[in-house]
Amino acid sequence: MESWLKISWVLCIFGFLREIRPSEPYHAEILMSDWYHVTQEEINRSVYPVGTYSYLALQIFVFLITDFLRYKPVIIANALTGILVWSTLLWTTTLTGLQVVEVFYGFYQAAEVAYYAYIYAKVDKKYYPLVTSYTRSAMFVGKLVGGLLAQLMIGMHWMVYRQLYIISITSQVLALFWSFGLPKVEKSLYFHSQSGAGKDDTKSDAAVIENGSQKPEETVEKPSPATKQSFHAFQLLWTHFHSAYTNPTVLQWSLWYAMILAGFLQISTYMQVVWKSYDEPTIAWNGAVDAALTALSAVFSLLAGYFPASRLKTRTSFLTIAVLSVLQGGCILLSSWTSNIYYSYLGYVLFGGLFAFTITVARFVLSLNLFVVNLPMYRSSCSSELASSLVEDSFALVFGFNTFIALLLQCILTFVVVSENVNLNLNVFEQFTVYAFYFMVIGIVYFTVVVLQCVWSGVKGPKTNKEVVN
């Protein structure tokens, strides 16, 4: 195995280059400009939802094909898709063209899984926390540079909004060339987890014939190596899935992980549409806001590492979830109920910082609890080393499945709140009010659970004491 530090640096530089997309903070500004023949209502209800649905539809497929192709080809395809997306945005002007772009953008987002899953296949398990931290930091830095660069170009009037696509394309081209330098992965977590399995089968068949238990002329139909490989992969997927989600703590935090991620994706997708609805200031500060959110997210993610989430009791963890959810809902209300765009900027930045803190805490708790093995068969018949290895390998699957549930929830939010199918006819500010109460309802539900637990403990306590006395 190659040096984990070398692999980290190569992967970090790719992530850094990939995230330098200065056009992102001004995406709605560009789409609603005179160049494109679409209205704000069409962007809100007919363009952005296509990206959301595409992301969901491609998530599972991309996860499986990433493992089957052993990561690197999908990372390369990710960079190629980025070039295609922002190149197409330079020349297309129609609603249909933008919808096609959103389909490819859905793949671009889904293929990000290859970037993270590559770590688990190429780096030794003991370096997972360090490499994960480095790669996420590299993406934060890239996003920060992209936001600052966008604000500089627009604020100094060196570029118009649409010209920012040129920088985004350039960064994707550099990421593409860099991706070819990633070390090749010889095995993957599922489809290529056991190299040489076919050879073992051949050897065992030969041994049977030599022992005379089977005559050479007798032929028995056996499944092909490809069929065996696929069966083994899906069997291992199910084993990892079952071993992870039968852990109550993993289930609890995974549910919250999915719900808050769904809310964040929805907010970040449509926030620029809200800002476009305000009376514009002389300079749109979207780039600076994006940079501030990224910097605050990095700080809050770091602080989350010192939060003693793993030592919290169930009741305390539920209360923590409730408080954080309500705070995030309050930040969304601030960003959408105010008549001052600068307060809206502030609410969005605070929301992003709180999300970074909560999602990092959730990841940390899930990572720790994935070391707990719940399958009785592994408790009784396997060594602790094998059992630990089994659950460690389920990291990518658990976070991938949690993301899938988040995307499913986001699609439901989009269908109910944004699309015209339900006929709610909410304007963008009313839509964000729904998202704010979505977070608050999550907080109220968890708080209610805490109250019920306290009441149950109070009722159960006296009964237990009477039984002891008797």
Side-chain angles (χ1 to χ4, degrees):
M1 180 177 287
E2 300 191 40
S3 168
W4 71 272
L5 194 57
K6 176 185 173 183
I7 294 171
S8 299
W9 275 107
V10 174
L11 202 59
C12 284
I13 293 174
F14 173 82
F16 169 76
L17 292 171
R18 181 186 181 276
E19 290 301 309
I20 301 178
R21 305 192 298 267
S23 58
E24 291 282 87
Y26 294 100
H27 190 58
E29 289 275 354
I30 301 170
L31 295 186
M32 294 177 201
S33 64
D34 296 335
W35 173 262
Y36 299 99
H37 305 150
V38 290
T39 64
Q40 178 173 329
E41 192 71 7
E42 287 175 325
I43 294 295
N44 189 33
R45 300 188 189 276
S46 302
V47 176
Y48 283 164
V50 174
T52 301
Y53 300 142
S54 300
Y55 191 2
L56 172 67
L58 292 168
Q59 175 73 16
I60 296 296
F61 169 76
V62 171
F63 178 83
L64 294 176
I65 202 68
T66 295
D67 190 271
F68 183 75
L69 296 177
R70 287 175 279 194
Y71 314 106
K72 183 175 177 178
V74 179
I75 293 176
I76 294 172
N78 183 230
L80 278 170
T81 306
I83 296 171
L84 176 65
V85 166
W86 281 281
S87 298
T88 306
L89 284 170
L90 269 177
W91 59 263
T92 190
T93 59
T94 63
L95 175 62
T96 303
L98 292 177
Q99 289 173 329
V100 172
V101 168
E102 285 295 315
V103 174
F104 284 104
Y105 189 67
F107 175 82
Y108 181 80
Q109 290 178 297
E112 188 177 299
V113 68
Y115 176 76
Y116 290 111
Y118 181 95
I119 301 168
Y120 302 115
K122 195 65 180 173
V123 177
D124 192 273
K125 291 181 177 66
K126 64 182 179 181
Y127 298 119
Y128 280 0
L130 276 175
V131 180
T132 301
S133 175
Y134 292 161
T135 50
R136 285 187 64 80
S137 298
M139 295 185 77
F140 270 134
V141 174
K143 194 169 179 61
L144 179 66
V145 170
L148 292 174
L149 188 60
Q151 191 61 58
L152 179 66
M153 293 298 170
I154 297 302
M156 300 299 292
H157 303 289
W158 292 342
M159 282 186 170
V160 296
Y161 293 131
R162 188 166 161 271
Q163 290 174 327
L164 294 174
Y165 284 144
I166 298 172
I167 303 176
S168 296
I169 295 169
T170 303
S171 67
Q172 300 307 301
V173 170
L174 292 174
L176 173 64
F177 283 118
W178 190 264
S179 65
F180 288 109
L182 287 169
K184 185 179 179 181
V185 177
E186 298 299 331
K187 64 178 183 177
S188 62
L189 294 176
Y190 297 107
F191 286 97
H192 304 281
S193 61
Q194 291 181 339
S195 57
K199 294 180 181 179
D200 293 339
D201 293 337
T202 304
K203 289 179 182 178
S204 62
D205 291 343
V208 169
I209 293 174
E210 286 179 6
N211 292 333
S213 60
Q214 182 177 343
K215 295 180 181 180
E217 62 271 12
E218 292 179 353
T219 58
V220 180
E221 289 188 7
K222 292 186 176 182
S224 65
T227 303
K228 283 186 176 182
Q229 185 184 51
S230 298
F231 177 77
H232 169 76
F234 286 107
Q235 187 180 42
L236 193 58
L237 273 165
W238 169 248
T239 304
H240 283 180
F241 181 88
H242 188 271
S243 66
Y245 287 102
T246 48
N247 182 330
T249 305
V250 171
L251 192 60
Q252 167 198 327
W253 285 86
S254 290
L255 180 61
W256 189 47
Y257 182 101
M259 289 190 295
I260 62 171
L261 180 58
F264 176 79
L265 290 173
Q266 192 75 350
I267 296 298
S268 59
T269 299
Y270 293 94
M271 193 71 243
Q272 292 180 37
V273 181
V274 172
W275 294 337
K276 189 66 178 174
S277 302
Y278 282 96
D279 294 330
E280 294 186 25
T282 308
I283 298 175
W285 292 93
N286 298 21
V289 170
D290 201 54
L293 184 146
T294 303
L296 189 64
S297 298
V299 173
F300 275 36
S301 297
L302 182 63
L303 292 175
Y306 297 96
F307 186 74
S310 61
R311 294 193 292 272
L312 295 180
K313 296 180 180 179
T314 302
R315 194 179 300 170
T316 311
S317 64
F318 277 10
L319 188 59
T320 302
I321 289 173
V323 172
L324 289 172
S325 298
V326 170
L327 286 175
Q328 288 179 85
C331 290
I332 298 169
L333 287 181
L334 174 62
S335 66
S336 58
W337 277 14
T338 180
S339 59
N340 189 321
I341 192 172
Y342 295 103
Y343 286 128
S344 181
Y345 287 153
L346 176 62
Y348 179 61
V349 170
L350 292 176
F351 167 74
L354 283 172
F355 169 78
F357 180 85
T358 54
I359 205 76
T360 305
V361 169
R363 277 179 171 271
F364 179 65
V365 174
L366 286 171
S367 299
L368 286 179
N369 282 276
L370 283 176
F371 284 93
V372 179
V373 180
N374 294 282
L375 288 178
M377 54 184 273
Y378 283 105
R379 287 196 190 113
S380 58
S381 61
C382 293
S383 67
S384 59
E385 289 82 5
L386 177 60
S388 177
S389 175
L390 167 70
V391 185
E392 286 174 32
D393 286 341
S394 66
F395 284 168
L397 173 64
V398 168
F399 290 123
F401 184 75
N402 289 349
T403 302
F404 174 77
I405 297 300
L407 291 171
L408 185 61
L409 290 172
Q410 187 193 5
C411 285
I412 294 172
L413 280 173
T414 301
F415 182 79
V416 173
V417 179
V418 179
S419 72
E420 297 176 338
N421 298 310
V422 184
N423 292 321
L424 292 180
N425 296 319
L426 302 177
N427 63 43
V428 68
F429 293 102
E430 292 169 339
Q431 291 170 19
F432 267 68
T433 301
V434 173
Y435 305 147
F437 283 102
Y438 164 83
F439 277 93
M440 289 183 172
V441 168
I442 292 172
I444 292 170
V445 168
Y446 274 96
F447 182 75
T448 303
V449 171
V450 173
V451 172
L452 291 176
Q453 285 181 341
C454 291
V455 172
W456 176 252
S457 298
V459 172
K460 192 177 179 181
K463 290 183 179 180
T464 305
N465 293 334
K466 289 179 181 179
E467 291 174 1
V468 172
V469 172
N470 295 332

